[in-house]
Amino acid sequence: MKIISPADNRTSMEYQVFLYCSCRYTTLGFFSIFKGISIPLEIVHIDAPESMVKFLNKSKRQLLVVATHDDSLHFSARAAWFELCCEQNAFIKGIMRTRMFSEGNFSRKNGYYDFSLNDPVDQIREHIVMLLKDTSLTQKCINHNFALTSREKELMFCISEGLSVKAIAKKMGVSERTILVFRTSVVKKMGLRNRNHIQSLNFGRE
C-alpha cells in the first residue's frame, strides 16, 4: 500500500517515507495524517526489508518509520525484529530510521526524533517533514543501532526459528546458562521490557 501526495513540478527534491507497522489500523491512521500535504511525498507501507528494496528510489531522500506498540508485546517485538533484519541488509541499513510509538511510550528513549501517534496531527506532519528536509541530519543522528555481538545475533535468529534454550545451546555449542546471559543482554540492548518480549520473536509458530 502506498500513497503519493500532489507533487510540485518546481520542487527538485522528492521524499519517500517507508512505514513498517504490523497493525492495520495504526497504518491507516498514519496514512490519513498526510492526506493533502503539499510537499512531493511518497509513503509506502512495507512488511519486510526486502519489500522496501523494491520501492527504494535513491534519487529521493528517505525516512523509515518503525511503528512499535508499547501496549502490545507481539507488535513491538516484531518491530524490534524488523529493525535487526534491516541492519543485516547492506542495501538499506544506512537509511534514516525513527520510531513511532502508540500509547504508553514506555520505550521512548530517542528524545526529539521519536514521536507518538497520539501527538497532534500537525505536530506529526511537521516532525516528519523536518526529518526529511533537514539535510544536516544523517542516519547516524537518529538511527537506533543495536550493538549486538555476532553471538547475540546468532541467538536472535535461533529464537526466531522457535528453538528452545536447550536446543539453542546445543546448536551454538555453549551452556544453557550462557544462552540465558546472552538473552538478558539482548533484551537490554534492544529496549525490550522483559524476556517474554523476546520470546514473541518466534514467528515461525504463527
Side-chain angles (χ1 to χ4, degrees):
M1 177 169 62
K2 70 176 180 176
I3 61 170
I4 303 177
S5 68
D8 183 344
N9 293 328
R10 296 168 297 177
T11 306
S12 58
M13 174 63 79
E14 294 186 342
Y15 308 96
Q16 278 186 310
V17 174
F18 293 96
L19 172 68
Y20 172 80
C21 183
S22 301
C23 175
R24 179 173 178 269
Y25 298 106
T26 302
T27 300
L28 292 174
F30 184 80
F31 271 59
S32 67
I33 290 171
F34 296 92
K35 284 184 179 178
I37 194 169
S38 59
I39 70 168
L41 174 68
E42 179 184 39
I43 304 177
V44 184
H45 177 245
I46 54 174
D47 55 12
E50 295 74 22
S51 59
M52 185 174 172
V53 173
K54 290 191 300 183
F55 294 103
L56 195 63
N57 184 335
K58 287 293 188 177
S59 68
K60 299 180 180 181
R61 185 167 169 86
Q62 288 97 12
L63 176 69
L64 171 59
V65 176
V66 179
T68 185
H69 297 250
D70 292 311
D71 54 341
S72 169
L73 272 177
H74 180 73
F75 286 152
S76 54
R78 288 185 72 101
W81 177 249
F82 173 83
E83 289 194 74
L84 181 64
C85 290
C86 281
E87 293 188 6
Q88 310 305 308
N89 189 314
F91 194 66
I92 63 175
K93 70 176 184 178
I95 292 175
M96 289 196 303
R97 182 171 75 244
T98 189
R99 291 175 182 160
M100 174 178 70
F101 292 95
S102 55
E103 296 181 7
N105 295 323
F106 300 121
S107 303
R108 194 173 183 177
K109 296 177 180 178
N110 204 32
Y112 182 65
Y113 299 116
D114 284 345
F115 65 98
S116 169
L117 190 60
N118 282 344
D119 291 339
V121 169
D122 289 344
Q123 183 177 320
I124 295 175
R125 278 190 182 188
E126 290 174 5
H127 185 70
I128 294 297
V129 171
M130 181 277 297
L131 292 175
L132 288 167
K133 287 189 172 183
D134 189 345
T135 55
S136 67
L137 292 175
T138 67
Q139 58 94 5
K140 291 183 180 179
C141 291
I142 64 174
N143 269 11
H144 297 263
N145 292 313
F146 297 127
L148 300 183
T149 66
S150 59
R151 296 296 265 171
E152 289 168 346
K153 289 177 182 178
E154 185 180 355
L155 169 65
M156 292 291 294
F157 286 101
C158 286
I159 291 173
S160 74
E161 294 172 3
L163 300 179
S164 65
V165 170
K166 185 176 182 178
I168 294 173
K170 184 177 180 180
K171 183 175 181 177
M172 294 180 62
V174 296
S175 69
E176 292 181 35
R177 181 176 179 82
T178 299
I179 294 300
L180 296 179
V181 172
F182 285 165
R183 188 176 67 182
T184 299
S185 176
V186 168
V187 168
K188 290 180 180 179
K189 287 182 179 181
M190 295 185 73
L192 305 177
R193 276 180 284 169
N194 53 52
R195 67 183 184 182
N196 293 327
H197 214 154
I198 198 172
Q199 291 304 129
S200 298
L201 294 173
N202 176 13
F203 305 132
R205 295 180 183 176
E206 291 180 1

